Amino acid sequence: MSTPLSPDSLAVLARQAIEVPSWAYGNSGTRFKVFGTPGTPRDPFEKVADAAQVHRYTGLAPAVAIHIPWDKVEDYDALTGYAHDQGVAIGTVNSNTFQDDDYKFGALTHEDAAIRRKAIDHHFECIDIMGRTGSRDLKIWLAEGSNYPGQADLRGRQDRLQESLQEIYARLSGDQRLVLEYKFFEPAFYHTDVPDWGTSYAQVSALGERAMVCLDTGHHAPGTNIEFIVMQLLRLGKLGSFDFNSRFYADDDLIVGAADPFQLFRILFEVLRGGGLDEDSPVAFMLDQCHNVEDKIPGQIRSVLNVQEMTARALLVDREALATAQRAGDVLGANAIFMDAYQTDVRPALAEWRASRGLPEDPMAAYAASGYFEKISAERVGGTQASWGA
Amino acid sequence: MSTPLSPDSLAVLARQAIEVPSWAYGNSGTRFKVFGTPGTPRDPFEKVADAAQVHRYTGLAPAVAIHIPWDKVEDYDALTGYAHDQGVAIGTVNSNTFQDDDYKFGALTHEDAAIRRKAIDHHFECIDIMGRTGSRDLKIWLAEGSNYPGQADLRGRQDRLQESLQEIYARLSGDQRLVLEYKFFEPAFYHTDVPDWGTSYAQVSALGERAMVCLDTGHHAPGTNIEFIVMQLLRLGKLGSFDFNSRFYADDDLIVGAADPFQLFRILFEVLRGGGLDEDSPVAFMLDQCHNVEDKIPGQIRSVLNVQEMTARALLVDREALATAQRAGDVLGANAIFMDAYQTDVRPALAEWRASRGLPEDPMAAYAASGYFEKISAERVGGTQASWGA
Amino acid sequence: MSTPLSPDSLAVLARQAIEVPSWAYGNSGTRFKVFGTPGTPRDPFEKVADAAQVHRYTGLAPAVAIHIPWDKVEDYDALTGYAHDQGVAIGTVNSNTFQDDDYKFGALTHEDAAIRRKAIDHHFECIDIMGRTGSRDLKIWLAEGSNYPGQADLRGRQDRLQESLQEIYARLSGDQRLVLEYKFFEPAFYHTDVPDWGTSYAQVSALGERAMVCLDTGHHAPGTNIEFIVMQLLRLGKLGSFDFNSRFYADDDLIVGAADPFQLFRILFEVLRGGGLDEDSPVAFMLDQCHNVEDKIPGQIRSVLNVQEMTARALLVDREALATAQRAGDVLGANAIFMDAYQTDVRPALAEWRASRGLPEDPMAAYAASGYFEKISAERVGGTQASWGA
Amino acid sequence: MSTPLSPDSLAVLARQAIEVPSWAYGNSGTRFKVFGTPGTPRDPFEKVADAAQVHRYTGLAPAVAIHIPWDKVEDYDALTGYAHDQGVAIGTVNSNTFQDDDYKFGALTHEDAAIRRKAIDHHFECIDIMGRTGSRDLKIWLAEGSNYPGQADLRGRQDRLQESLQEIYARLSGDQRLVLEYKFFEPAFYHTDVPDWGTSYAQVSALGERAMVCLDTGHHAPGTNIEFIVMQLLRLGKLGSFDFNSRFYADDDLIVGAADPFQLFRILFEVLRGGGLDEDSPVAFMLDQCHNVEDKIPGQIRSVLNVQEMTARALLVDREALATAQRAGDVLGANAIFMDAYQTDVRPALAEWRASRGLPEDPMAAYAASGYFEKISAERVGGTQASWGA
């Protein structure tokens, strides 16, 4: 076998799993325009069907994250069963407090206790759904903040956020977890209530052991060294999950690895270095992307392949030689060892790996040849195409 | 009179005029949510009525910029006449090539000549409307670009852009002008076809004298010295217009002067220094903002007042003393002269100025007391509230 | 008295104190050039003499921070006594681990235990000096990091950092404190070992109660909401000190308030809101600036005045009215209350305040008229002008 | 031969040449510290000797750029002859107006005509040296700007810059050229007189055909799409030269391709696409880096290899297939064609290419084995190590 990957590395690849988001299969766009596309799902079942395609061709995406209320259904057993039939599971449950007029000035942080109550209750509903779908993680991303200096009481909001999270956290049971995402800006422009990893870390540390931080790779200020944060959160035992995507400037939500593949490599190296892909790792991996102009299912296939490719490259780093060079202060030598892994083309080895597991060597081509897109384009006529609003 | 403003300065203030955008009165938001509000206009006439309120209380906003097709009407004479009756004129006409499915991959830059044709024809229509509304300026902001490296042929698009603009420019008549706006990013994430002033400048310079650059204060990379660009474009004779707004990170479209009032002061100082407020100045001043969470009409009133206040402060700079300190290399002295003007509270003097012209001393309070908002909230029931999509 | 400042506000101003850094009086510059200037101090005593001028004309700067080894002297009692005679005290002691060849690849984080030992011992020396000068705070800013991916073991360095800090912290006695500064980048370009407030917070939280975070206003990524971090650190009880300065892009170390006075106002508002100027506040205020092209003593006078001015404006915010508007979701109303304070010219009131305390109304003019600069220019001839290297 | 490179591609590689800067072999650092290193050159001859090593092992660096006054010698014929004997030529001449006290407030832009005269005369001297060394290009990078708003008259400086450049340009003869570099910030913090490509373009366009723009890859605001600027300047016929390096945040001057290899690939793709590597291309390629912590000669070898590798990858792009996918609006298809080239490991093919030309397959290893470093470390004892100051 021509693969440069060691047995240990192959074992890591074998257990790598990346949740795909149900909303990636619906329409999305910018504030300027959302383009419609043929074959777009009209309900959560159709989204799950599309998500299952990604797993079928890659073996990398055994679970689908859902978003409430976008993925509300009458019967969660039916949805869970349908997913199972498609070969996937329902994964993380995402709450949503940004599309209700009541939340214009906040949800978990709102000045008005009645609105906080409503937002907390929404999270209780999510936890109930988790119980029915067998999901472990409740992921909370908050759109809360303000647009103008003086508009909001930054401190009061932070205190109320902690109180609201306490209530939600107390509702968890068994091995359920709460993961709190941070985001630098948008949709609020002046201040965001959870803008950085430090805030998320301080908030979840005050909750307890089953509260963790979610790191979205697109949610940082320009110039931020993201792999450093990965290292730090793993070191502090608080890295709960990843939202993978890529960006050139803002929160572009592009295909992970598309904007800066080397950065993705460095991130995955720190994940490995910190035990994030060990067997008992607490880190969940997810995509969070918006396929505004590209095809959605192939966009997702490309995404999980990108993560796998950079993981494989990161696995190639000769860590012993690297440590020796680092200890010696050999800047160029250490960098060369690191880059040597990054510059290696692992695609042939991964194609072999896939073939050895009964998967197509070229998942993009196999999907394209499958006729699935033509089928859904023909079948899914009428109804309302899923998007962020539904 | 207690005003520190000289007669010359008062003359500048007397001729200061800031166009307000019709779309500021409709609903806007982010990709996550557009909040509705009571009293929102349902058609261009109602937008004009709202815009006229801004002028009524400030004397600063004698024209309303319109956006085609958002402001398409059967009878432009009627719209123009209605505006006149309200005390304002129809100003700049803005084209729109970002909300049609055909423009998913470009409009004036599209690979397909038929789509370029359609986009050029749309601009012809805008020029026809200009003829009927008496507008001087055709403002072109292009949402064109790409999201992924390799997706687009950067060079081919640039060449096609020039060809398309040539056709549009050739259609202008009389004193009509074309102003080309640049924007750093969004809605395209990887590349934007007119991303910076240099590109806009190169493109319009190749067209002719009546083609100019539009500078939107929110459309720059972080750390950009915007007043330098103002200076340079005035020096090159190519500053056609301003789109005023403010931002903390991306193109937030917040109230001008809200995020960094000192920056607005510096910009207006360079405008003055470069003759941009002289009697024969070619520079048009406009707002381009999105009132996502704040009230719209007062948001516009605040905006034009902010521009006026910073203009007044810029007028206070003792330019002779400044030049002396600059020549002497007196860093702190020059900065102190500059800051002294900035730190002066001109609001009492401007209140006096307004009173002397029959305007309310406190336009925000006068508008609030007028009952206009209550009136439109009660009257404008039913119909579809205007927003970017309509 | 025409002052708009309440008695409570005047009490806050009366206890405001801002440490000035000894190194501000020496020469500094960029990697391209350090310009020399007449009258520059040649030793720590001359620096203290210059620093005392700032206090003499403003009443705001009763202490001088020192930097070891730049300010090493034979006899610290003599230095302390000299400062006392000049009307000031010796303040915070700053360690320095960035100008020794041994520290090329780290100091407290170095792979080599012998170099860590040397760096820790240097901090012990600083603590000894604190004992003799009566200083409360040991401030640690670390230049450590790496320039190339792979060069350094991010995680190992973080662990070693904690170990080293544990040793240093254990050496403190009485009410001595350790404050750990964070910095986004520079002099290391790829990774910095304490790049953000979250890292500093995690590191000092693991040490104990007398370990706190130092916030340098110039050490953040573009677009960072600094006042949010101020709020958060005050909320968490971990804001130990400020290094004030301002910047347009990188760590420019310009005069505080020079680049964005509104930001300084917002920061000081959160300081007030969070109790940072209460009588028992644990927050120390310092300048950390580089006067590359401007005169040094007047640059420092301008700096402390800027902090005072923005504090006075922040004190003018009608917090009760603000809270009411915030609770009501009155975006423009709340912002107007906030801005009204910011736009008020407090300089006449502060001039009065100074006069009432026997200080010159115009400290800049009084210093300029004093002849001090002419005196030191004439006297300080020969010797080596102080700069970062000495 | 296993190379995936076509004969046309090999021809491009065969003519690729990258000038190395003499100052890369001296010491450099940050404002905090410059570390010394064994074997550092003490004069321009030793720098040329070191530079020749890069060419010896790579065949890519046949010329050495010099910097005046750092590389001033008594006898330029001797220097030119010495370079020739070492197998290289003297390339671009760089002027320096940032290390003289007279230039504290500007050189070509200074308010004082006498200082402008001095700065212009310095450029005349550089042109004289070009005549003797046979250099084609005079490269001008200006450190000019200001640190505080109000300090400088932005407009007056821009006008004076043009006047000064006119004089310098008029002095050129034969095929000599002037290339004007732009830089976003540093060493000036508030404003820089040539901050962006638009300004450089406007300035050189007003001079004439032999005045061009120099693009330094590290001199842009965060988020700037540099390959777009490459495309635009090639399109406008004004891309005169490149200064290659890489950066994470500011102007870090790291090894080109070290921070974001994919960006370097994209840049080189646009170079190729725009004819920048055609036989008659006007584009000169140079390195401009600072080896603060890594070894200098190997740092330079790594740099030219990085440029070559990314050029080879860019040559692999199937441009016909790419154009087809672009025309079809096939976003993922076009991106895949682009990425396929980027992900290909060209190192074995380039090793073969080198072997076929009598060069070592592994230049880094060959240099390390050569004993050159040990030799210069032993020989170059005493004297003053070269750095930016000498």
Side-chain angles (χ1 to χ4, degrees):
Chain A
M1 194 169 171
S2 73
T3 180
L5 294 160
S6 69
D8 281 0
S9 295
L10 292 169
V12 171
L13 293 176
R15 65 175 171 261
Q16 185 162 44
I18 305 148
E19 284 192 27
V20 290
S22 70
W23 54 97
Y25 307 94
N27 294 320
S28 64
T30 66
R31 60 177 172 147
F32 296 98
K33 172 74 175 167
V34 175
F35 293 98
T37 44
T40 298
R42 281 97 34 103
D43 62 42
F45 291 85
E46 291 182 352
K47 294 185 202 173
V48 165
D50 287 4
Q53 296 292 310
V54 180
H55 191 51
R56 186 158 307 161
Y57 293 100
T58 64
L60 289 169
V64 192
I66 60 173
H67 209 290
I68 304 301
W70 298 343
D71 294 319
K72 280 183 94 156
V73 292
E74 290 292 305
D75 182 347
Y76 288 95
D77 292 339
L79 186 67
T80 308
Y82 180 76
H84 184 81
D85 294 345
Q86 302 290 317
V88 295
I90 300 299
T92 297
V93 173
N94 293 261
S95 63
N96 177 323
T97 52
F98 53 89
Q99 292 186 318
D100 186 308
D101 284 339
D102 280 348
Y103 300 143
K104 187 172 182 176
F105 298 118
L108 297 181
T109 64
H110 203 286
E111 296 258 0
D112 182 340
I115 289 176
R116 293 202 301 279
R117 182 75 264 145
K118 175 174 169 170
I120 293 166
D121 286 345
H122 166 66
H123 286 86
F124 288 175
E125 183 192 0
C126 290
I127 294 170
D128 290 347
I129 292 170
M130 288 164 66
R132 284 182 275 164
T133 55
S135 303
R136 181 186 60 172
D137 289 354
L138 171 66
K139 179 146 66 80
I140 304 180
W141 169 65
L142 297 169
E144 306 182 38
S146 65
N147 279 0
Y148 292 98
Q151 176 189 332
D153 174 11
L154 306 189
R155 168 65 178 272
R157 294 173 71 91
Q158 200 67 207
D159 293 337
R160 290 190 293 272
L161 174 59
Q162 178 59 218
E163 288 169 25
S164 298
L165 290 175
Q166 292 279 4
E167 275 205 58
I168 295 166
Y169 185 73
R171 184 83 162 210
L172 298 175
S173 61
D175 66 350
Q176 288 177 339
R177 309 190 309 173
L178 179 162
V179 288
L180 180 62
E181 192 167 339
Y182 60 91
K183 184 173 181 184
F184 177 54
F185 96 112
E186 196 209 22
F189 299 133
Y190 164 59
H191 109 272
T192 294
D193 288 302
V194 189
D196 51 25
W197 78 264
T199 296
S200 181
Y201 171 68
Q203 286 282 348
V204 301
S205 295
L207 294 178
E209 282 203 358
R210 283 171 300 114
M212 314 276 281
V213 176
C214 174
L215 185 158
D216 182 299
T217 51
H219 289 187
H220 303 85
T224 301
N225 184 322
I226 299 172
E227 56 269 28
F228 182 92
I229 300 174
V230 170
M231 173 280 292
Q232 187 69 276
L233 285 170
L234 281 166
R235 176 177 173 270
L236 296 167
K238 279 296 185 191
L239 183 58
S241 59
F242 269 101
D243 265 10
F244 280 126
N245 53 54
S246 75
R247 51 76 79 99
F248 285 96
Y249 182 66
D251 181 36
D252 305 343
D253 282 332
L254 300 178
I255 288 173
V256 55
D260 186 350
F262 182 42
Q263 183 184 59
L264 180 57
F265 167 82
R266 299 193 308 263
I267 289 171
L268 286 162
F269 177 78
E270 287 303 326
V271 168
L272 284 167
R273 200 292 185 209
L277 280 164
D278 288 356
E279 284 206 56
D280 57 348
S281 162
V283 186
F285 298 87
M286 289 176 273
L287 302 181
D288 184 13
Q289 301 177 169
C290 292
H291 303 299
N292 295 352
V293 297
E294 68 273 24
D295 292 336
K296 298 168 201 315
I297 296 171
Q300 292 279 295
I301 294 174
R302 167 58 61 215
S303 302
V304 296
L305 293 176
N306 282 357
V307 175
Q308 186 186 44
E309 275 188 37
M310 291 303 153
T311 304
R313 294 186 188 204
L315 285 162
L316 290 182
V317 175
D318 182 339
R319 285 166 59 184
E320 219 166 301
L322 184 66
T324 302
Q326 289 171 340
R327 269 194 300 273
D330 180 3
V331 178
L332 291 171
N335 179 247
I337 291 162
F338 200 68
M339 296 308 290
D340 188 47
Y342 174 66
Q343 304 291 21
T344 302
D345 191 347
V346 297
R347 294 174 301 172
L350 291 172
E352 265 186 61
W353 177 84
R354 271 190 291 276
S356 75
R357 301 168 69 89
L359 292 162
E361 291 197 7
D362 182 342
M364 295 291 282
Y367 169 76
S370 74
Y372 184 83
F373 178 67
E374 292 73 14
K375 182 167 164 290
I376 58 174
S377 297
E379 284 176 6
R380 295 177 184 169
V381 172
T384 303
Q385 295 196 333
S387 74
W388 285 10
Chain B
M1 194 168 169
S2 73
T3 180
L5 293 160
S6 69
D8 281 0
S9 295
L10 292 169
V12 171
L13 293 177
R15 65 175 172 263
Q16 185 162 43
I18 304 148
E19 284 193 25
V20 290
S22 71
W23 54 97
Y25 307 94
N27 294 320
S28 64
T30 67
R31 60 176 172 147
F32 296 99
K33 172 73 174 168
V34 175
F35 293 98
T37 43
T40 299
R42 282 105 22 115
D43 61 43
F45 291 86
E46 291 182 352
K47 294 184 203 172
V48 165
D50 287 4
Q53 296 294 309
V54 179
H55 191 50
R56 186 158 307 160
Y57 293 100
T58 65
L60 289 169
V64 192
I66 60 173
H67 210 289
I68 303 301
W70 300 341
D71 294 319
K72 280 182 93 156
V73 291
E74 290 292 305
D75 183 347
Y76 288 95
D77 292 340
L79 186 67
T80 307
Y82 180 76
H84 183 80
D85 293 345
Q86 302 291 316
V88 295
I90 302 297
T92 297
V93 173
N94 292 262
S95 63
N96 177 323
T97 52
F98 52 89
Q99 292 186 317
D100 186 308
D101 284 338
D102 281 348
Y103 300 143
K104 187 172 183 177
F105 299 117
L108 297 182
T109 64
H110 202 285
E111 296 258 1
D112 183 341
I115 290 175
R116 292 201 301 280
R117 182 74 264 145
K118 174 175 170 171
I120 294 165
D121 286 346
H122 166 66
H123 286 86
F124 288 175
E125 184 191 1
C126 290
I127 294 169
D128 290 346
I129 292 169
M130 288 163 65
R132 284 181 276 163
T133 54
S135 304
R136 181 185 60 172
D137 289 354
L138 172 64
K139 179 146 65 81
I140 304 180
W141 169 66
L142 297 170
E144 305 182 39
S146 64
N147 279 1
Y148 291 98
Q151 177 189 332
D153 174 12
L154 306 189
R155 168 65 177 273
R157 294 172 72 92
Q158 200 67 206
D159 293 337
R160 291 191 293 272
L161 173 59
Q162 178 59 217
E163 288 170 24
S164 297
L165 290 175
Q166 292 279 5
E167 275 206 59
I168 295 165
Y169 185 73
R171 184 82 162 214
L172 298 174
S173 61
D175 66 350
Q176 289 178 339
R177 309 189 310 172
L178 179 162
V179 289
L180 180 63
E181 192 168 339
Y182 61 91
K183 185 174 180 182
F184 176 54
F185 96 111
E186 195 207 24
F189 299 133
Y190 164 60
H191 108 272
T192 294
D193 287 302
V194 189
D196 51 25
W197 78 264
T199 296
S200 180
Y201 171 68
Q203 286 282 348
V204 301
S205 295
L207 294 178
E209 283 203 358
R210 283 171 301 114
M212 313 276 281
V213 176
C214 173
L215 185 159
D216 182 299
T217 51
H219 288 189
H220 303 85
T224 301
N225 184 323
I226 299 172
E227 56 269 28
F228 182 91
I229 300 174
V230 170
M231 174 281 291
Q232 187 69 275
L233 285 170
L234 282 166
R235 177 179 173 269
L236 296 167
K238 279 296 185 191
L239 183 58
S241 59
F242 270 101
D243 266 10
F244 280 126
N245 53 54
S246 74
R247 50 77 77 98
F248 285 97
Y249 182 66
D251 181 36
D252 305 343
D253 282 332
L254 300 178
I255 289 174
V256 56
D260 186 350
F262 182 42
Q263 183 184 59
L264 180 58
F265 167 82
R266 300 193 308 262
I267 288 171
L268 286 162
F269 178 78
E270 287 303 325
V271 168
L272 283 167
R273 199 295 185 205
L277 281 164
D278 287 356
E279 284 205 55
D280 57 348
S281 163
V283 186
F285 298 87
M286 289 176 274
L287 302 181
D288 185 12
Q289 300 178 169
C290 293
H291 303 299
N292 295 352
V293 297
E294 68 273 25
D295 292 336
K296 298 168 202 316
I297 296 172
Q300 293 279 294
I301 294 174
R302 167 58 61 213
S303 302
V304 297
L305 292 176
N306 282 356
V307 175
Q308 185 186 44
E309 275 187 37
M310 291 302 153
T311 303
R313 293 186 188 204
L315 285 163
L316 289 182
V317 174
D318 182 340
R319 285 167 59 184
E320 218 166 302
L322 184 66
T324 302
Q326 289 171 340
R327 270 195 299 274
D330 180 3
V331 178
L332 291 171
N335 179 247
I337 290 162
F338 200 68
M339 295 308 290
D340 187 47
Y342 174 66
Q343 304 290 22
T344 302
D345 191 348
V346 297
R347 294 175 301 172
L350 291 171
E352 263 185 62
W353 176 85
R354 271 190 290 275
S356 76
R357 301 169 69 89
L359 292 162
E361 292 198 7
D362 182 343
M364 295 291 282
Y367 169 76
S370 73
Y372 185 82
F373 178 66
E374 292 72 14
K375 182 168 164 289
I376 58 175
S377 298
E379 285 176 6
R380 296 177 184 169
V381 173
T384 303
Q385 295 197 333
S387 74
W388 285 10
Chain C
M1 194 168 170
S2 72
T3 178
L5 294 160
S6 69
D8 281 0
S9 295
L10 292 169
V12 171
L13 293 176
R15 64 175 172 261
Q16 184 161 45
I18 304 148
E19 283 192 27
V20 290
S22 70
W23 54 97
Y25 307 94
N27 294 320
S28 64
T30 68
R31 60 177 170 147
F32 297 98
K33 172 74 175 168
V34 175
F35 293 98
T37 43
T40 299
R42 281 98 33 105
D43 61 43
F45 291 85
E46 291 182 351
K47 293 185 204 173
V48 166
D50 287 4
Q53 295 293 309
V54 180
H55 191 50
R56 185 158 307 162
Y57 293 101
T58 65
L60 289 169
V64 192
I66 61 172
H67 209 288
I68 304 300
W70 299 342
D71 294 319
K72 280 182 93 156
V73 291
E74 289 294 305
D75 182 348
Y76 288 94
D77 292 339
L79 186 67
T80 307
Y82 180 77
H84 184 79
D85 294 344
Q86 302 291 316
V88 295
I90 301 298
T92 297
V93 173
N94 292 262
S95 63
N96 177 321
T97 52
F98 52 89
Q99 291 186 318
D100 186 309
D101 284 338
D102 280 348
Y103 299 143
K104 187 172 183 176
F105 298 118
L108 297 182
T109 65
H110 202 287
E111 296 259 0
D112 183 340
I115 291 175
R116 293 201 301 280
R117 182 74 264 146
K118 174 174 170 172
I120 293 166
D121 286 346
H122 166 65
H123 286 86
F124 287 175
E125 183 191 1
C126 290
I127 295 170
D128 290 346
I129 292 170
M130 289 163 66
R132 284 180 277 164
T133 54
S135 303
R136 181 184 61 173
D137 289 354
L138 171 66
K139 179 146 66 79
I140 304 180
W141 169 65
L142 297 170
E144 305 181 38
S146 65
N147 279 0
Y148 291 98
Q151 176 189 334
D153 174 12
L154 307 189
R155 168 66 177 272
R157 293 173 72 90
Q158 200 68 204
D159 293 337
R160 291 190 293 272
L161 173 59
Q162 179 59 217
E163 288 169 24
S164 298
L165 290 175
Q166 292 279 3
E167 276 205 59
I168 295 165
Y169 185 74
R171 183 81 162 214
L172 298 175
S173 61
D175 67 350
Q176 288 179 338
R177 309 190 310 173
L178 180 162
V179 290
L180 180 63
E181 193 167 339
Y182 60 92
K183 184 173 182 183
F184 176 53
F185 96 113
E186 196 210 21
F189 299 133
Y190 164 60
H191 109 271
T192 295
D193 288 301
V194 189
D196 51 26
W197 78 264
T199 295
S200 180
Y201 171 68
Q203 286 282 347
V204 301
S205 294
L207 295 179
E209 283 202 359
R210 284 172 300 114
M212 314 276 281
V213 176
C214 173
L215 187 158
D216 182 300
T217 51
H219 288 189
H220 303 86
T224 301
N225 184 322
I226 298 173
E227 56 270 28
F228 182 91
I229 300 174
V230 171
M231 173 280 292
Q232 187 69 276
L233 284 171
L234 282 166
R235 178 180 173 267
L236 296 167
K238 281 294 184 191
L239 184 57
S241 60
F242 270 101
D243 265 10
F244 280 125
N245 52 55
S246 75
R247 51 77 77 98
F248 285 95
Y249 182 66
D251 181 36
D252 305 342
D253 282 332
L254 300 178
I255 289 174
V256 57
D260 186 350
F262 183 41
Q263 183 184 58
L264 179 58
F265 168 81
R266 301 193 308 263
I267 288 170
L268 286 163
F269 178 78
E270 287 303 326
V271 168
L272 284 167
R273 201 281 186 223
L277 281 164
D278 287 358
E279 284 205 55
D280 57 348
S281 163
V283 186
F285 298 86
M286 289 175 274
L287 302 182
D288 184 13
Q289 301 178 169
C290 294
H291 302 299
N292 296 352
V293 296
E294 68 273 25
D295 292 335
K296 297 168 203 315
I297 296 172
Q300 293 278 295
I301 294 174
R302 167 58 61 215
S303 303
V304 297
L305 292 176
N306 282 356
V307 175
Q308 185 186 45
E309 276 188 36
M310 290 303 153
T311 303
R313 293 186 188 205
L315 285 162
L316 289 182
V317 174
D318 183 340
R319 285 167 59 183
E320 219 167 300
L322 185 66
T324 303
Q326 288 171 340
R327 271 195 299 274
D330 179 2
V331 178
L332 291 171
N335 179 247
I337 291 162
F338 200 68
M339 295 309 289
D340 187 47
Y342 175 65
Q343 305 290 21
T344 301
D345 191 347
V346 297
R347 294 174 300 172
L350 291 172
E352 262 185 62
W353 175 85
R354 270 189 291 275
S356 76
R357 300 169 71 87
L359 292 162
E361 292 198 6
D362 182 343
M364 295 290 281
Y367 168 75
S370 73
Y372 184 82
F373 178 67
E374 291 72 14
K375 182 168 164 288
I376 57 174
S377 299
E379 285 175 6
R380 295 178 184 168
V381 172
T384 304
Q385 294 196 333
S387 75
W388 285 10
Chain D
M1 194 168 170
S2 72
T3 180
L5 294 160
S6 70
D8 281 1
S9 294
L10 292 169
V12 171
L13 292 176
R15 65 174 171 263
Q16 185 161 44
I18 304 148
E19 283 192 27
V20 289
S22 71
W23 54 97
Y25 307 94
N27 294 321
S28 63
T30 67
R31 60 177 170 146
F32 296 98
K33 171 75 175 167
V34 175
F35 293 98
T37 43
T40 298
R42 281 99 31 107
D43 62 44
F45 291 85
E46 291 183 352
K47 294 184 202 173
V48 166
D50 287 3
Q53 296 293 310
V54 179
H55 191 50
R56 186 158 307 162
Y57 294 101
T58 65
L60 289 168
V64 191
I66 60 173
H67 209 288
I68 304 300
W70 299 341
D71 295 317
K72 279 183 93 155
V73 292
E74 290 292 306
D75 182 348
Y76 288 95
D77 292 339
L79 186 67
T80 308
Y82 180 76
H84 184 80
D85 294 344
Q86 303 291 316
V88 296
I90 301 299
T92 297
V93 173
N94 292 262
S95 63
N96 177 322
T97 52
F98 52 89
Q99 292 186 316
D100 185 308
D101 283 338
D102 280 348
Y103 299 144
K104 186 172 183 177
F105 298 118
L108 297 181
T109 64
H110 202 286
E111 296 259 0
D112 182 341
I115 290 175
R116 293 202 301 279
R117 182 74 264 147
K118 173 174 170 172
I120 293 166
D121 287 345
H122 166 66
H123 286 86
F124 287 174
E125 183 191 2
C126 290
I127 295 170
D128 291 345
I129 292 169
M130 289 163 66
R132 284 180 275 165
T133 54
S135 304
R136 181 185 60 172
D137 289 355
L138 172 65
K139 179 146 66 76
I140 304 179
W141 169 65
L142 298 169
E144 304 181 38
S146 65
N147 279 0
Y148 292 97
Q151 176 189 334
D153 174 11
L154 306 189
R155 168 66 177 273
R157 293 173 71 92
Q158 201 67 204
D159 293 336
R160 290 190 293 272
L161 173 59
Q162 179 59 215
E163 289 169 23
S164 297
L165 290 175
Q166 292 279 5
E167 276 205 59
I168 295 166
Y169 185 74
R171 183 81 163 214
L172 297 175
S173 62
D175 66 350
Q176 289 178 338
R177 308 190 310 172
L178 179 163
V179 290
L180 181 62
E181 193 167 340
Y182 60 92
K183 184 173 182 182
F184 177 54
F185 96 113
E186 196 209 23
F189 298 133
Y190 164 60
H191 110 271
T192 294
D193 288 302
V194 189
D196 51 25
W197 78 263
T199 295
S200 180
Y201 171 69
Q203 286 282 348
V204 300
S205 294
L207 294 178
E209 283 203 358
R210 283 172 300 116
M212 314 276 281
V213 176
C214 174
L215 186 158
D216 182 300
T217 51
H219 289 189
H220 302 85
T224 300
N225 184 323
I226 299 173
E227 56 269 28
F228 182 91
I229 299 174
V230 171
M231 174 281 292
Q232 187 68 276
L233 285 171
L234 282 165
R235 177 178 173 269
L236 296 167
K238 280 294 185 192
L239 183 57
S241 60
F242 269 102
D243 265 10
F244 280 126
N245 52 54
S246 74
R247 51 78 77 100
F248 286 96
Y249 182 67
D251 181 36
D252 304 343
D253 283 331
L254 300 178
I255 288 174
V256 57
D260 186 350
F262 183 41
Q263 182 184 58
L264 179 58
F265 168 81
R266 300 193 309 263
I267 288 171
L268 286 163
F269 178 78
E270 286 303 326
V271 168
L272 284 167
R273 200 285 185 218
L277 281 163
D278 288 357
E279 284 205 55
D280 58 347
S281 163
V283 186
F285 298 87
M286 288 176 275
L287 302 181
D288 184 13
Q289 302 178 168
C290 293
H291 302 299
N292 295 352
V293 297
E294 68 273 25
D295 292 335
K296 297 167 202 314
I297 296 172
Q300 292 279 295
I301 294 175
R302 167 57 62 213
S303 301
V304 296
L305 293 176
N306 282 357
V307 175
Q308 186 186 45
E309 276 188 37
M310 291 302 153
T311 304
R313 294 186 188 204
L315 285 162
L316 289 182
V317 174
D318 183 339
R319 284 166 59 183
E320 220 167 300
L322 184 66
T324 303
Q326 288 172 340
R327 271 194 299 273
D330 179 3
V331 178
L332 291 171
N335 178 247
I337 291 162
F338 200 68
M339 295 309 290
D340 187 47
Y342 175 66
Q343 304 291 21
T344 301
D345 191 349
V346 297
R347 293 174 301 171
L350 291 172
E352 264 185 60
W353 176 85
R354 270 189 291 274
S356 76
R357 300 169 70 88
L359 292 162
E361 292 199 8
D362 182 342
M364 295 290 282
Y367 168 76
S370 73
Y372 184 82
F373 178 67
E374 291 74 13
K375 181 168 165 290
I376 57 175
S377 298
E379 285 175 6
R380 296 178 184 168
V381 172
T384 304
Q385 295 196 332
S387 75
W388 284 11

